[in-house]
Amino acid sequence: MPSKHDPAPASMAFAETTNKDMTTTGPPSDGDEERSVFRDDDDSSLTDPEHGLLAEEDRDEIKEVRKLAKRETRRVRIWKTILLAVVTGAATFVTIGAYNGVNDSEIKDYKSAYEQFSSTIKDAVQAHYSNHRLAMQSCSSSISGAAINNDETFPMVTLKDFEVLGASTRANSGIELLAWMPYVQPEQESDWISYSIENQGWINVSRDIISRDGTSLAAYDDEGILPMIYRNPNSTIPTSELLAPIWQMSPPPFLSWPVVNLDWLSDENEMQRQEAMTTLRHQVFMPVEDLSFMTGTAVNEADHEAFHARLVDWKRDESTSAYDHPHSFALGPVFEVVNDEQSDIVGQVTAVIAWDFYLVDLLPEGVDNITVTIRNTCNQSFSYLIGGRSAFYIGPGDLHEESYDNMEVSVDFYGFDDVETVKQMSDQDVCLYSFHIYPTKAFEDEYRSNEPMVLAALIGSAFLFMVVSFFMYDWFVQSRNNKVMTAAASSNAIISNMFPSQIRERLLEVNKRREQLKSSNLSKGAQKPLMVESMHSHEGRPIADFYPENTILFADLVGFTAWSSVHEPAQVFELLETVYGEFDNLARIRRVFKVETVGDCYVAVSGLPEPRKDHAIVMARFARDCLSRFQAVIRHLEVMLGPDTADLCMRFGLHSGPVTAGVLRGERARFQLFGDTMNTASRMESTGTPNMIQISQDTADLIVAAGKTSWVSPREGKIVAKGKGEMQTFWLSASRSGSSSGSSGINAHRSSASATEMSSNESEVEAVQDSGSTAADEPNPGDANRTKRLCQWNEEVMRNILRQIVAQRGSSGLGNGGASSLRPEPSRTPLDEVREVIELGQYSGPPNRDTDSIELDNAILEQLGSFVSTIASMYKPNPFHSFEHASHVTMAVVKLMSRVVNPKIEGRELDASSLHDYTFGITSDPLIQFACVFAAMVHDVDHPGVPNSTLVRENAQLAQVYHKSTAEQNSVDLAWNLFMDPQFSELRSAVCQDLSGLKRFRQILVNMLMATDILDKELNEVRNSRWEKAFGTDTDIEESAKTNMDRKATIVMEHLIQASDIAHTMQHWHVFRKWNGRLFLETYQAWVSGRLEEDPSLTWYEGELNFFDFYVIPLAKKLANCGVFGVASTEYLGYAEQNRKEWQDRGQQIVAEYLEEAKSSGQ
């Protein structure tokens, strides 16, 4: 089911960042109590107690623990011999572990690098084959097309600009020479000879073309071709057989008469190869053979060697000629009809392949010593050594280092499905080639070092020193009472989190006096012992003080209320714990006291309980650190917490002045601040701007007085604060000049805003407060980073459910292979497949394995990522029907499904069996949960941005295919066809173990996606009727309990996707305002472009009211009535009714704003 996030990992991830960015400084100068812990006044680097100077409060806690320890008078020496054995064992264990750990890390790095580079080579080889295959096919098709265009009949077909086609085919395909050979029947021989003599002008045309590239034609012959088809003089093939004269070549032949009109099939080997190609009707490769006979006739030797010199340095090896490197022929059929492989084969395209071509430019410079062996099924092999972008031919044979056989990576250089049939043709010189990649010892040595041994020696020496030191120290140290120390440390830890150190001491002193009084009364035999009150007692003077100089910070999450209405409660707390946990770390390092958090508001103060003159400077630095850290944390959290998380902002307000602070006694007593300074600081925050720090005049004066004039800039105009009237405020610069970055190492980089910018920001704040949408909310389909984060979040959700599927199945993640493919009947549309009752699986008990222990296969994860990314790319850049909205719908599904999986009935949790019955079987089948998330993600794929009625009216092609629910059916087919693609076979196998599971998965997907067509009245009436059958009180359908449960589960899933599709109407007003505005913009754009007949602004207000009254609110009530969604249905209904009221009051004004925004945006 949806991911269950643990807040700890997010905090731990950023704790590491903090430690890396902190710098250690020494203690302050003697007697300089007012000096900050920073090296100089402009240095914002932080000092962590773990890395140097301890914070004062930490020292106080240690003192308290020592005081408790000193009360223990017993001196013990515990288990000296055992400790020695433990330390010795630990030394051995850690030393060996460190050695193995570093050694394993180097091995892992080496293997990881090899996997990366071998994958790069594999991808390049596959791309080379694809280029070669497409080049051959393109050449054959061009020849077939030329016959039609020129009104010629095979074999009398000539391409006058054959060199242009040939050069294009040879480019980037590894083809050195390309020849077109028509098939001539014996009775056509005389006609062909006449035809060839008349049309031999192509030779000079081709030579003119190559001369433009600088090729010298001085050595080329000027004689024409001979008036005959000449054959191999040693041929035993009867002259009555088929002829294949060489006709056109690229590059043109060096000598014409011995090449052109040579019957290629007069050689027995070539006849066998031609027969194999004709049988397969596919291009084929021949064995590697010596083609030096072509030098001086078909090929100019100098040109040939220059070609290879650009590929590999063939003169480095023992070769005397470039032909010593492997070459072979490739044959491709030419069909009589373009792209019709069933038509007659009328000729062949023969290519000379230089295998050197495929071994260069495979790796980046500096990556050397990877062996590639080319093998074929004709028992030949040839080896190369890859070094960066170049290659070195080692020689014939498989010459890789055998010790690396287990790391072989192979890639096929062919495209046959029936491989066995092709292998049986090896006696006809038809070969299948493959590339085999291996590392070398030299490659491995680049990643290995003596560091493991050195580290092990250092650790062993350190432990030896520690053992010696232990014996020396043991004579001087008194053992402490562990129980007393633990109790003291625990008490101090609890109190230190609530109160400053001075207040803690006073509280402990009060408690100590009470304990003494209690003991005294008991010793006197009092009839009724004194009941010692804790901090809620009001006896004695209150613990309170007046602090004249302080700076208070208020920080508030902008957009948090709307964001929290979309997310699960656990995610809400994970966000707050992670962000404010980071603030707490910064506060401890900056020696700032955290007062409290109220909702999503964070309150802190500097200048108390320990007074300090630089309180304003310290708080300014703390505020900037918090803003920088927040911006880093929030981007990291979006992948875990979902869309819109990175859109959250932080608003800061600072004010300096006096406060009264103390312990407000009573239940849950805590340290609190009171006074006008608190109120003013709160106003600074509430009237501020997102991701900006607003400070009051008093705070700005203190900062300027400290010589930091560049830190502040006045805000244009005055603000009006409640209870304060007009106030002049300032902006605190979020960037740091002249110093290293702060604790997070990430700066806000927001310079002091100009007057114009400040005015703009004020309007932006008002827009956030009033409508819940800002400029940042406007859709930006070109934002690749945002789309990437959305894809990552969708992958995470689906990955977690996949783990549950595998855990339920109890296997490694791959199915039995039975779910390889499922295609619907061509005559049936998705709407035809909708069922009233989907037959779900039987309850099979709890999962066989722990979900957290499941590790999915890398192939599954890669295919899942590729699938999600492809789906995202299939969405059109609509303002509303976009991948971003699909992710919003997915989040709503996740939230509702989490309530289905973890409902509590009357305060008690259900066991697995009861939960299965209560949720109609949905919760016990993770495949259903995966299908729901899958449906949400793909439900608007390729949506055209207009209603189905518009598509029907326009008689669009989709409407002609589907007739109704056009966009929805199109999304089903597109998503399903992609899911059935062979490249996602492992993913399908992980989702569905067999064909029956795949059919059930598709049925759920079809039913849910068809349910999103809410504008079709006929379909809505059918769904309402089915709801009454499932949950109505007057129904008297006679069916089994299992069928009844499946019926309810079916209708619940359909309403789940319906509610999620319009979830924005049942969430916070700001969320509704955002997505409703985008839907209006999309509809308005369609009207402006002439695709809608009516201006939507004329009916939008009334239409939304009707939508709430007749669809949204009834749907929310249905969710509550079915009972499986727990408090989520109540929450949805409450938001729907609130939004309906808000729209009734403000809707007309908002529609006017919509219209103005649409017009101003150029629509």
Side-chain angles (χ1 to χ4, degrees):
M1 200 23 239
S3 60
K4 301 176 181 176
H5 300 294
D6 180 8
S11 301
M12 292 172 63
F14 282 92
E16 181 179 355
T17 305
T18 302
N19 293 337
K20 289 181 179 179
D21 293 332
M22 293 178 185
T23 59
T24 306
T25 64
S29 303
D30 295 339
D32 188 4
E33 296 180 357
E34 300 300 328
R35 182 174 178 180
S36 170
V37 294
F38 309 107
R39 291 195 174 205
D40 59 62
D41 202 35
D42 283 326
D43 185 9
S44 60
S45 61
L46 304 179
T47 303
D48 192 339
E50 296 178 1
H51 296 78
L53 183 64
L54 291 175
E56 188 65 32
E57 293 187 9
D58 293 324
R59 293 200 298 269
D60 291 342
E61 292 182 24
I62 295 174
K63 290 177 181 178
E64 292 297 329
V65 174
R66 288 177 177 172
K67 288 179 182 178
L68 292 174
K70 289 179 180 179
R71 295 172 188 170
E72 295 297 317
T73 58
R74 295 175 56 189
R75 311 179 72 184
V76 293
R77 300 178 181 274
I78 304 175
W79 306 94
K80 184 176 178 180
T81 304
I82 297 177
L83 284 176
L84 176 61
V86 170
V87 172
T88 303
T92 304
F93 178 80
V94 173
T95 302
I96 296 176
Y99 175 86
N100 291 335
V102 177
N103 187 60
D104 291 344
S105 177
E106 290 184 349
I107 295 175
K108 181 179 179 181
D109 290 344
Y110 143 69
K111 291 184 177 180
S112 176
Y114 170 69
E115 290 175 359
Q116 176 185 353
F117 295 131
S118 62
S119 178
T120 300
I121 295 175
K122 181 177 180 179
D123 293 342
V125 170
Q126 290 175 335
H128 279 314
Y129 173 74
S130 179
N131 291 340
H132 170 83
R133 178 175 56 83
L134 292 175
M136 293 285 284
Q137 290 177 347
S138 176
C139 180
S140 298
S141 298
S142 297
I143 294 172
S144 301
I148 298 174
N149 295 335
N150 299 333
D151 196 20
E152 295 178 331
T153 303
F154 289 99
M156 283 65 173
V157 175
T158 302
L159 280 72
K160 294 183 179 180
D161 54 350
F162 184 81
E163 179 55 27
V164 175
L165 172 63
S168 174
T169 303
R170 289 185 289 113
N172 300 319
S173 64
I175 297 176
E176 279 189 3
L177 185 144
L178 188 70
W180 149 232
M181 304 174 184
Y183 291 161
V184 178
Q185 299 297 331
E187 61 270 21
Q188 296 175 313
E189 182 174 358
S190 60
D191 294 337
W192 170 257
I193 293 173
S194 300
Y195 174 85
S196 62
I197 295 297
E198 294 173 0
N199 292 273
Q200 61 180 313
W202 68 266
I203 299 176
N204 291 329
V205 173
S206 295
R207 290 177 177 176
D208 289 341
I209 292 175
I210 65 173
S211 67
R212 299 170 193 168
D213 298 330
T215 302
S216 174
L217 302 179
Y220 284 68
D221 73 341
D222 293 326
E223 300 179 8
I225 65 176
L226 299 179
M228 60 180 296
I229 297 178
Y230 42 100
R231 301 161 54 83
N232 185 336
N234 299 322
S235 174
T236 61
I237 299 176
T239 57
S240 60
E241 294 292 333
L242 181 69
L243 306 174
I246 300 176
W247 179 223
Q248 292 186 278
M249 294 175 56
S250 175
F254 185 60
L255 298 178
S256 302
W257 64 267
V259 177
V260 179
N261 270 355
L262 171 65
D263 182 13
W264 193 253
L265 299 184
S266 61
D267 184 278
E268 294 181 358
N269 291 334
E270 297 303 330
M271 178 62 76
Q272 292 179 354
R273 297 170 179 178
Q274 186 270 343
E275 292 173 355
M277 180 202 69
T278 304
T279 300
L280 296 173
R281 306 183 74 81
H282 193 281
Q283 66 183 54
V284 293
F285 290 93
M286 305 297 110
V288 171
E289 53 191 304
D290 183 8
L291 302 184
S292 59
F293 67 87
M294 299 173 60
T295 301
T297 55
V299 177
N300 186 326
E301 182 176 3
D303 293 343
H304 181 251
E305 293 188 358
F307 175 83
H308 278 268
R310 295 195 301 269
L311 303 179
V312 298
D313 188 2
W314 61 269
K315 293 188 178 180
R316 285 176 54 194
D317 53 39
E318 298 179 358
S319 304
T320 59
S321 168
Y323 275 114
D324 291 340
H325 288 205
H327 293 71
S328 60
F329 286 114
L331 308 183
V334 177
F335 298 98
E336 185 175 15
V337 180
V338 178
N339 296 329
D340 185 0
E341 297 183 359
Q342 303 304 317
S343 61
D344 293 336
I345 298 177
V346 295
Q348 67 184 50
V349 174
T350 302
V352 175
I353 306 299
W355 293 101
D356 287 357
F357 179 89
Y358 304 119
L359 276 303
V360 296
D361 292 335
L362 297 183
L363 296 175
E365 291 294 340
V367 180
D368 303 318
N369 301 311
I370 292 182
T371 302
V372 176
T373 298
I374 303 176
R375 300 176 190 162
N376 61 33
T377 54
C378 298
N379 297 321
Q380 293 176 315
S381 58
F382 305 87
S383 298
Y384 289 80
L385 186 64
I386 307 301
R389 305 183 69 84
S390 61
F392 175 69
Y393 177 55
I394 302 176
D398 190 346
L399 303 179
H400 78 277
E401 297 177 27
E402 295 182 357
S403 58
Y404 295 97
D405 283 352
N406 61 324
M407 300 185 70
E408 176 190 28
V409 175
S410 62
V411 53
D412 295 329
F413 201 80
Y414 54 82
F416 292 99
D417 294 328
D418 189 359
V419 175
E420 293 302 322
T421 300
V422 181
K423 287 182 177 179
Q424 294 173 6
M425 294 184 174
S426 59
D427 59 339
Q428 296 178 267
D429 282 349
V430 175
C431 307
L432 297 178
Y433 283 80
S434 59
F435 287 64
H436 301 263
I437 309 165
Y438 305 89
T440 62
K441 184 65 169 58
F443 179 86
E444 181 180 0
D445 289 343
E446 293 177 5
Y447 295 86
R448 306 303 299 272
S449 67
N450 63 348
E451 185 178 343
M453 186 62 70
V454 173
L455 181 61
L458 290 176
I459 293 176
S461 300
F463 270 102
L464 179 61
F465 176 79
M466 183 176 64
V467 171
V468 174
S469 300
F470 170 78
F471 279 100
M472 296 177 62
Y473 188 69
D474 181 68
W475 296 95
F476 306 100
V477 177
Q478 297 179 347
S479 63
R480 296 174 178 85
N481 187 302
N482 291 333
K483 184 175 181 180
V484 173
M485 289 184 62
T486 301
S490 300
S491 299
N492 264 19
I494 295 173
I495 298 177
S496 65
N497 286 331
M498 301 174 61
F499 306 100
S501 58
Q502 294 89 336
I503 303 300
R504 292 203 306 270
E505 292 175 357
R506 294 166 66 178
L507 287 172
L508 291 173
E509 186 63 29
V510 171
N511 191 62
K512 179 180 178 181
R513 289 198 301 267
R514 287 178 176 171
E515 289 291 341
Q516 292 174 347
L517 181 59
K518 176 181 178 181
S519 300
S520 175
N521 288 340
L522 291 176
S523 64
K524 295 178 180 179
Q527 296 293 326
K528 183 177 181 181
L530 178 65
M531 300 300 294
V532 180
E533 301 285 336
S534 60
M535 287 179 292
H536 65 268
S537 172
H538 293 179
E539 296 180 3
R541 290 174 56 83
I543 300 176
D545 293 289
F546 179 76
Y547 297 89
E549 296 182 358
N550 315 272
T551 298
I552 297 174
L553 172 143
F554 273 72
D556 186 67
L557 275 168
V558 180
F560 174 78
T561 304
W563 181 91
S564 61
S565 73
V566 182
H567 292 74
E568 304 173 48
Q571 293 178 322
V572 173
F573 272 77
E574 180 172 354
L575 172 73
L576 294 176
E577 288 177 353
T578 303
V579 172
Y580 290 155
E582 293 296 317
F583 287 7
D584 291 345
N585 292 336
L586 294 172
R588 174 174 56 84
I589 297 169
R590 288 287 189 195
R591 295 174 61 190
V592 169
F593 179 70
K594 172 189 175 181
V595 180
E596 62 182 344
T597 54
V598 181
D600 60 329
C601 184
Y602 188 92
V603 185
V605 61
S606 63
L608 69 81
E610 179 184 357
R612 56 189 303 173
K613 293 181 180 180
D614 61 347
H615 55 86
I617 295 295
V618 169
M619 187 57 79
R621 285 174 171 153
F622 174 68
R624 296 195 305 187
D625 290 339
C626 289
L627 177 57
S628 177
R629 178 57 58 86
F630 168 77
Q631 291 172 334
V633 170
I634 210 68
R635 287 192 296 270
H636 174 79
L637 289 176
E638 185 172 36
V639 176
M640 297 183 292
L641 303 185
D644 298 335
T645 302
D647 294 337
L648 292 174
C649 301
M650 205 82 195
R651 195 167 50 211
F652 293 83
L654 275 66
H655 177 61
S656 302
V659 296
T660 298
V663 178
L664 187 61
R665 295 177 295 184
E667 292 294 333
R668 297 179 179 85
R670 55 195 175 100
F671 186 77
Q672 291 186 298
L673 308 182
F674 298 93
D676 184 66
T677 301
M678 286 283 285
N679 296 333
T680 305
S682 176
R683 300 295 183 267
M684 291 299 99
E685 177 275 314
S686 62
T687 60
T689 295
N691 287 342
M692 295 286 282
I693 305 170
Q694 183 172 229
I695 61 177
S696 66
Q697 179 76 58
D698 294 337
T699 303
D701 291 343
L702 292 173
I703 293 176
V704 172
K708 308 298 181 185
T709 306
S710 62
W711 286 17
V712 299
S713 58
R715 177 171 180 170
E716 180 180 335
K718 296 183 178 180
I719 66 168
V720 178
K722 181 180 180 182
K724 295 292 180 181
E726 292 187 347
M727 296 181 66
Q728 177 62 57
T729 61
F730 298 79
W731 299 116
L732 177 67
S733 171
S735 62
R736 305 184 183 96
S737 60
S739 66
S740 61
S741 60
S743 60
S744 68
I746 301 175
N747 293 330
H749 295 295
R750 181 189 291 269
S751 303
S752 299
S754 65
T756 303
E757 290 170 331
M758 295 303 171
S759 176
S760 174
N761 286 335
E762 292 174 31
S763 301
E764 188 176 347
V765 174
E766 294 172 1
V768 172
Q769 295 170 340
D770 180 61
S771 66
S773 64
T774 68
D777 288 327
E778 294 304 319
N780 184 7
D783 189 349
N785 290 330
R786 181 173 184 81
T787 301
K788 180 180 179 180
R789 295 197 302 270
L790 292 174
C791 290
Q792 290 173 340
W793 178 80
N794 281 278
E795 290 174 38
E796 179 68 19
V797 171
M798 301 179 80
R799 182 161 53 243
N800 289 330
I801 306 178
L802 271 178
R803 289 194 184 100
Q804 296 182 39
I805 293 176
V806 175
Q808 186 85 9
R809 183 183 303 159
S811 66
S812 63
L814 296 176
N816 297 329
S820 60
S821 179
L822 175 64
R823 302 283 184 179
E825 298 179 11
S827 60
R828 287 170 59 86
T829 63
L831 190 60
D832 299 329
E833 299 180 46
V834 174
R835 291 185 182 179
E836 184 172 341
V837 179
I838 301 176
E839 185 176 349
L840 304 179
Q842 296 285 347
Y843 177 62
S844 58
N848 297 321
R849 297 169 61 188
D850 180 21
T851 303
D852 295 334
S853 67
I854 299 298
E855 291 292 337
L856 296 176
D857 188 81
N858 287 335
I860 298 174
L861 298 178
E862 291 175 2
Q863 291 181 16
L864 176 61
S866 175
F867 180 81
V868 173
S869 299
T870 305
I871 285 294
S873 68
M874 294 168 67
Y875 273 85
K876 294 183 178 180
N878 299 317
F880 183 82
H881 293 94
S882 61
F883 184 66
E884 182 181 356
H885 181 257
S887 300
H888 183 83
V889 175
T890 303
M891 182 176 296
V893 168
V894 168
K895 182 175 181 178
L896 287 174
M897 292 296 293
S898 69
R899 302 297 173 84
V900 174
V901 174
N902 298 301
K904 292 184 178 180
I905 308 303
E906 298 179 354
R908 64 183 180 88
E909 295 188 2
L910 302 177
D911 57 36
S913 178
S914 300
L915 186 60
H916 171 83
D917 295 336
Y918 179 76
T919 60
F920 315 126
I922 296 176
T923 185
S924 60
D925 190 351
L927 178 62
I928 297 177
Q929 301 158 27
F930 188 88
C932 292
V933 172
F934 186 97
M937 184 181 69
V938 307
H939 79 285
D940 276 336
V941 163
D942 197 44
H943 196 288
V946 295
N948 289 327
S949 58
T950 299
L951 297 177
V952 174
R953 176 171 53 82
E954 294 176 346
N955 197 29
Q957 183 178 1
L958 290 178
Q960 297 176 15
V961 175
Y962 299 114
H963 305 298
K964 63 190 310 182
S965 299
T966 304
E968 290 76 14
Q969 294 193 78
N970 183 48
S971 296
V972 172
D973 283 343
L974 289 177
W976 189 258
N977 288 338
L978 179 65
F979 190 56
M980 289 297 104
D981 193 278
Q983 63 176 312
F984 301 115
S985 58
E986 284 84 0
L987 176 61
R988 286 198 305 274
S989 185
V991 175
C992 304
Q993 191 174 18
D994 51 33
L995 188 59
S996 63
L998 190 62
K999 290 181 178 179
R1000 182 156 51 94
F1001 177 76
R1002 175 176 172 82
Q1003 191 61 62
I1004 296 172
L1005 177 67
V1006 168
N1007 268 50
M1008 293 188 71
L1009 262 65
M1010 290 302 98
T1012 60
D1013 184 4
I1014 62 176
L1015 299 181
D1016 192 299
K1017 295 182 179 179
E1018 180 181 346
L1019 294 178
N1020 276 331
E1021 291 176 358
V1022 172
R1023 280 191 289 268
N1024 289 334
S1025 173
R1026 290 164 55 193
W1027 174 273
E1028 290 300 322
K1029 289 182 181 179
F1031 295 101
T1033 56
D1034 298 332
T1035 180
D1036 56 353
I1037 300 177
E1038 294 184 1
E1039 58 187 8
S1040 66
K1042 175 65 171 58
T1043 302
N1044 182 259
M1045 178 179 292
D1046 290 346
R1047 178 185 298 278
K1048 292 181 177 180
T1050 301
I1051 201 68
V1052 165
M1053 287 187 290
E1054 292 177 354
H1055 282 70
L1056 167 70
I1057 192 67
Q1058 287 181 329
S1060 301
D1061 195 22
I1062 60 166
H1064 61 281
T1065 65
M1066 297 181 281
Q1067 291 167 347
H1068 192 274
W1069 167 256
H1070 291 172
V1071 179
F1072 166 72
R1073 171 72 170 80
K1074 167 185 173 179
W1075 290 109
N1076 186 256
R1078 292 190 180 184
L1079 181 59
F1080 176 87
L1081 177 60
E1082 181 177 301
T1083 308
Y1084 186 81
Q1085 289 175 346
W1087 176 70
V1088 170
S1089 63
R1091 303 190 70 184
L1092 291 182
E1093 297 177 347
E1094 184 179 44
D1095 182 353
S1097 64
L1098 302 177
T1099 58
W1100 197 264
Y1101 172 73
E1102 294 81 2
E1104 289 300 301
L1105 288 178
N1106 292 333
F1107 189 56
F1108 273 110
D1109 291 337
F1110 299 108
Y1111 187 78
V1112 177
I1113 293 177
L1115 178 59
K1117 291 180 179 179
K1118 285 183 178 181
L1119 297 182
N1121 292 338
C1122 72
V1124 299
F1125 295 105
V1127 296
S1129 54
T1130 304
E1131 176 189 4
Y1132 272 23
L1133 180 58
Y1135 274 124
E1137 292 174 341
Q1138 292 174 18
N1139 290 338
R1140 198 269 183 206
K1141 184 178 184 303
E1142 189 81 10
W1143 181 261
Q1144 183 177 8
D1145 296 339
R1146 302 173 54 195
Q1148 292 178 333
Q1149 174 189 348
I1150 292 174
V1151 171
E1153 294 173 2
Y1154 286 167
L1155 186 59
E1156 183 178 354
E1157 291 172 2
K1159 290 180 178 179
S1160 63
S1161 65
Q1163 303 303 324

